[in-house]
Amino acid sequence: MLDMVSYSDWILHALLWLPLAGLAHVLWAPAEHAKTVAFRWSLLVFVLSIGLWWAYDPAVGHGGFQLESTHPWIAAWGASYSLGLDGISLFMVMLTTFITPLAILGSFNYIKKKQKAFYALMLLLETGVVGVFLATDLLLFYVFFELTLVPMYFIIGVWGGERRIYAAIKFFLFTAVGSLLMLVAILYLHQRAETLLEVATFSYADLLTLQLTLKEQLWLFGAFALAFSIKVPIFPFHTWLPDAHVEAPTPGSVVLAAILLKMGTYGFLRFLLPLFPAAAQHPTVVAIMLTLGVIGIIYAALVAAVQPDAKKLVAYTSVAHMGFVVIGIFALTTNGLQGGLFVMISHGISTGALFLLVGMLYERRHTRLIKDFGGLGRVAPMLATAFVITALASIGLPGTSGFIGEFLVLLGTFETYPLAAICATTGVIFAAYYMLPMVQRIFFNELDKEENVVVEDLSRREIVILAPLIALMIVIGVYPAPFLERMEPSVQALLERVERSPNSVLRLGVDELGLGVSAAPVIAPDESTGLPNVGEMGDVPPRNLMAVR
Amino acid sequence: MFFALQATTEGAHEWSPVLPGLVILLPLLGFVINGALALTHARRSADAVRAGGELDLAAGDRPLTHTLPTWIGPGVIGLAFLITVVNLVGMAGADLHEPIIRTYWTWIVTGSLTVDAAIQLDQLSMVMMLVVTGVGFLIHVFSVGYMKDDPGYPRYFAYLNLFIFFMLVLVMGAGYLLMFVGWEGVGLCSYLLIGYWFSDREKSDAGKKAFIVNRIGDLGFLVAMFFLFTTFQTLDFVEIFSAAPERIPYGHSVATIITLFFLLGAAGKSAQIPLYIWLPDAMAGPTPVSALIHAATMVTAGVYLVARSSVLFALSPIASATVAGIGVITALFAATIALKQYDIKRVLAYSTISQLGYMFLGVGVGAYTAGVFHLMTHAFFKALLFLGAGAVIHSVHHALHHTDKDWDAQDMRNMGGLRKHMPITWATMWIATLAISGIWPFAGFFSKDEIIWAAGAWAGAANAPYPTLYTVYWVLALVTALLTAFYMTRLMVMTFHGANRTGEKEAKHLRETPAVMWVPLAVLAALSVFGGWINVPAAISESFLGGFGFLPMGENFHHWLEPVMAGAHEIQAQHLGEISHQAPLFGGGELVWALASTGLAAIVVLIAARVVGGQKHVPAVDAAEPRGLGRVLYRKYYVDEAYDAVIVRPVHALSRFSWRFVDDVIIDGTVNMAGNLARAFGWVGSLFQTGQINTYAFIFTIGVLVILGWVAF
């Protein structure tokens, strides 16, 4: 009996619902224990999630979902509670479970009022985000996608800075407007499925089989893209982000930058490209997305460079980084897509760390204005060292995580759109142009302000927070192969699906590319899942890494 | 990285290198240890600063802040050098025609790109390793004396070790991407070391400038790699160079584009026009850093890049001509600026830019061996000049410090007559000056002469493209050689000869440097004398200039590098034919011109000594700014000012415009207008509004229902 309940059977559900159990515990526990309780639950979730690294096997399943499970949810609508994990969501889930405890730990000194509510919301947020990344049912996805809005709205609105109400409402309105259109699109898909497939379904795998006309695809693409573009955010939908970041408390900013933004680009990868492949390849669409991506990279870097507020500066750098992800995705090459996914991971780590560091500066000096600092390297050498390493990872110095992603994105984009890639490459110059002056004005130069002389160096708790982040930046930069190997099959499958479609917009009948549930066991045929091996599966070579090399 | 010792060797070779991974690993280890020491030291020092004072360096903990870094810092580099020498001996006996590749782990692997963490050992990387670890070791040792009173001593060695690590990655990496890791890594160390005294705004500004300008060059490197990858589907040296001659037709634009983008990268790192502007400012770093990074090793990375990519450059006559042109113009341009500088380090900085220009000329005219040869000899004499300048500055600084005189210890107008106080420094620096001036039989003579000759010979090659252009290069290179002799003699005379201008009281405290500093000078001086003898052109070695055949002379270096350059030489032989044995103007063979150039240089040295020695020099405080052309040179042609007006300010203005207008006015203005419009509609809705979340949820539900209704309809 016991051996039937293996790790891969329960882990996804556990990761999704354990934060809610933690939430209940936080509400039940005395207020002064709220933070430690929340931290322990989030840590538990992280520890449990580590097993995913091995539970997800890139060598089998042709890059499709693994550890799947489906249960009826709203039977009348055909909505189901179905979860699954592939080489794309694996990293997003692990990033979430990794960042959340660190963000909670980073808020210990920052959050003074209504601690219970705060930590409860943080855990609710974790459930929402994990749900977004695991859902393989569009309605379920949408519910989680919207669910993340609520805790973030309150985290900014209640624990934020002076203009928190304005920022919170701006955040809410921007993102809600976008996602409502997406809901319409989802409902439209649902309705088309009823007509074409004669079944009421929100299932991702089912909807992938829909035969949509190019016109339909373009409209639906537009609706989804707007929602995700605001979330990412892509220029010119980015102005909510700096305000939200500046007002949000440190842990809010960390989660927002490291995880919530990824929901947008994840949406591109998971839904936009596979569901509407013809639209995603439409020359006009590609031109628009690439242009916006490149503008984002350069424009955000320029604006970042003149920000007087360190936190706002970091916020703008997020826009620039996400611009890389966008061009990597729409270049539609293996290198571009893998690079885009890699930038998502590395941005989560390095920008998360930057927000934590800026928060640490704020806790010491109660200001975030760059001009109020200067010469901190002399009194806080550890803080300075951590900041410099993180800043270098953020601007993509080789040997750090930032480089791998940016390089692959640029290389991949160059393969299909050389001009866009060259324009985007100027981003490496602008990155130095915004980051180094900030580092200099905070940590170098003369220690000429009395308030700065007494600034303390990192405490033990802060070292515990930063050490894993910094270690990861370097480890991933030096040995990224295990990451790339795990994401490759899913990215390849995605790419093949998109590439096969343009001349066959009307023949996307079978899930021949193994993106959905019907991913047949190509590599190990005897390990039958009982699903039929459909159509042309045979002529797709096994996505074995050794073979690719 | 700990797999280092279990590396797999690809390809069967009789000779197996001894622990090549350890050469890279040792400096990294030094960095880790020194870095840890530096952080503990910095934390203690921070406590003292917070308490309102400074950490007393003399009190306690010297074992951790000084003794340990002193042994580990230079120690790891010394060991790396020894391993390199052992491998040199092995390689010399092995008759190696293919590079030896050692693969440690798979670094990047995607659907279409695979990059291994692998090192490549061949004759070229061996030369670079020897220079990096050898000269690097001497400079580490010198630093022990130079930096001994510095409060950041362990941090200094941590950075210096890290630099050597990245430099070795740069020269040993088996592909472009790995080279790029070292390329940016040394840029980082350069940034950290220029701004080593980070509390000084000017110095940290200089570090920042270096990094940003270098990143402009890195853009070129990156784009060149993109082109390479789309052409060859790999970034591996061996694969690219073996495929290139077949894949790219001679003179095809692909080769030109790739190499021109590489040239942009090389111009950034090697401080060539138009990206040279960071190097003079980089003199803000400690002087041994200038010697190591900004003279001997890092700045030559661009030359290494071209030499390493010789096959690609050989395929593009246009790009090669551009490399040579950039090089020779930079050489002349920087040399003219050096004529009118007073800061001793700035003279040397411009001199370095100028000499790097020579190396570019060399590799640009297809004389890859000569370019690398000059890279090596230049590493000897320029490191010596910088270290000598460091010794001088050290001494003058201490003398000025004794009486609290706030004069500039680097300004040659405040020096003069140092010869009698610092005889060893004086003698060794004169050797270096004669070497850089190209006077027989010092090292610079052989390497520089070979480059100039190659430029002239190229002009007369059978199928040479642009013969006139190469004739111009040849003339400019000769003129620059004379300017070099002039400004270097000027430096020596102003610093060491004539009357002392430091001040009467101060002059009593001028001292020769301790042994830990002058021994490295002496070693480098020996190399500056004999270093050139390993490669004497055939035309010269038979004559008296070659020591009548008694000295162990010959084209050894040329033969040594031949396996690496064979691909490029083959392309040249195929498409350009026989090169000329006559100078493009006036006729005459190599021997004649070698004689003429050394003779002319010697005359210029004598003239300069008389002219500069005859001038009346006054301390910097009493000096007036030069007039006319002199002022233009003194002000460095106002290039910094021009860049500021044309690039820096407009970019800044654009940034502010983007923020204040595009973001705040256009985008947010639109959003707010929509918001206000919505508010007007909302006034109706506000009848239902309670300001509660459940109201929003209610409205939300209504919206959904409306949409559902629409869809159903």
Side-chain angles (χ1 to χ4, degrees), chain B residues 346-370:
Chain B
R346 274 190 184 263
V347 177
L348 293 177
Y350 282 103
S351 161
T352 305
I353 296 172
S354 175
Q355 296 299 310
L356 288 165
Y358 269 116
M359 296 174 213
F360 270 65
L361 175 63
V363 292
V365 299
Y368 303 104
T369 315

Side-chain angles (χ1 to χ4, degrees), chain B residues 461-498:
Chain B
N463 306 316
Y466 337 114
T468 333
L469 193 63
Y470 284 96
T471 310
V472 174
Y473 291 171
W474 178 71
V475 173
L476 293 181
L478 279 173
V479 171
T480 307
L482 304 183
L483 291 178
T484 310
F486 190 92
Y487 68 70
M488 282 312 303
T489 310
R490 170 176 173 270
L491 179 145
M492 292 306 293
V493 171
M494 285 188 75
T495 306
F496 289 101
H497 296 263

Side-chain angles (χ1 to χ4, degrees), chain B residues 395-415:
Chain B
S395 179
V396 174
H397 176 81
H398 278 277
L400 291 170
H401 193 68
H402 265 285
T403 56
D404 289 326
K405 203 170 183 175
D406 66 341
W407 281 12
D408 186 354
Q410 300 189 179
D411 196 312
M412 297 188 296
R413 287 170 295 194
N414 301 334
M415 299 176 182

